[in-house]
Amino acid sequence: MPFLRQARAAVRADLDAAMRRDPAAHSRTDLALNSPGLHAIWSYRLAHRMWERGPRWKPAARLLSTVTRAATGVEIHPGARIGQRFFIDHGMGVVIGATAVVGDDVMLYHGVTLGGRSLQRGIKRHPTLGDRVTIGTGARVLGDIEVGDDVQIGANSVVVKDVPAGAVATGVPAQVRFPHQPHEDPYDALFAEPAIFI
């Protein structure tokens, strides 16, 4: 029973987060039925629980993640660690690697990759994202790097180095800047750095 209560609370929190972040969403029911990003994260949470139970459960966890990828276009390895109120807008083409760590209240757009740059086994190969990070369409965040809290990564950027908290990273390779003013208005930021938008 505690698991079911936790699962229901997590689903409600995910739906509330999606409603806040998706201006096209009409209702929680609409999101629950039609959001591949939410379907992928809910499936991931089950696969991750299976993965954590030990070696005997890992093949089933991988199978579930493969079926989910086929159904949603989102590939999340069950070994990844993802925080609360995670949202993937549009979903298609997102890839999250096995050793990735994602904080709370993170938002990814379609086509984002949290990938590795090493083929070595048994090491952390994927990025760690802090809380409240937003990553734009098509961005690639690669390697065992740290992305701090409240970072924005622009569409189609390629990030291969640490990004400090509160920064904006855009370009190939990504260049880091800090907003000119605390709590910079995203509309004003559009003119300074168009790539942070989709």
Side-chain angles (χ1 to χ4, degrees):
M1 283 304 205
F3 169 70
L4 289 177
R5 276 196 299 274
Q6 288 174 346
R8 278 195 295 268
V11 165
R12 277 195 301 271
D14 289 337
L15 286 168
D16 289 344
M19 284 298 294
R20 282 193 304 276
R21 294 180 181 135
D22 185 354
H26 298 291
S27 68
R28 285 168 181 75
T29 302
D30 175 41
L31 283 168
L33 294 175
N34 298 307
S35 174
L38 285 173
H39 300 159
I41 191 64
W42 294 336
S43 178
Y44 153 79
R45 294 200 194 284
L46 177 58
H48 183 70
R49 283 184 68 89
M50 294 163 66
W51 187 266
E52 295 284 298
R53 291 190 71 177
R56 287 181 36 205
W57 287 86
K58 289 186 176 183
R62 287 288 285 152
L63 179 61
L64 177 56
S65 70
T66 299
V67 169
T68 302
R69 179 184 63 193
T72 66
V74 176
E75 180 175 346
I76 306 174
H77 192 284
R81 293 195 339 250
I82 297 177
Q84 298 176 355
R85 297 172 302 278
F86 178 57
F87 182 55
I88 303 170
D89 198 8
H90 301 294
M92 187 60 70
V94 169
V95 177
I96 300 175
T99 63
V101 178
V102 176
D104 294 335
D105 301 298
V106 170
M107 181 171 175
L108 308 182
Y109 286 90
H110 55 284
V112 169
T113 298
L114 304 181
R117 291 189 296 154
S118 168
L119 297 178
Q120 188 175 346
R121 295 177 189 271
I123 64 167
K124 188 170 185 318
R125 298 179 296 114
H126 301 93
T128 297
L129 308 183
D131 297 337
R132 298 171 304 281
V133 171
T134 301
I135 303 181
T137 301
R140 309 293 186 247
V141 184
L142 305 173
D144 181 17
I145 62 173
E146 300 275 337
V147 175
D149 295 344
D150 302 299
V151 165
Q152 295 181 58
I153 296 175
N156 296 311
S157 297
V158 177
V159 181
V160 294
K161 295 182 180 175
D162 292 351
V163 181
V168 174
T170 57
V172 181
Q175 302 296 311
V176 173
R177 75 168 182 88
F178 287 91
H180 297 294
Q181 303 166 357
H183 310 317
E184 181 177 47
D185 184 327
Y187 184 75
D188 293 337
L190 171 62
F191 300 104
E193 200 64 71
I196 67 172
F197 291 89
I198 297 131

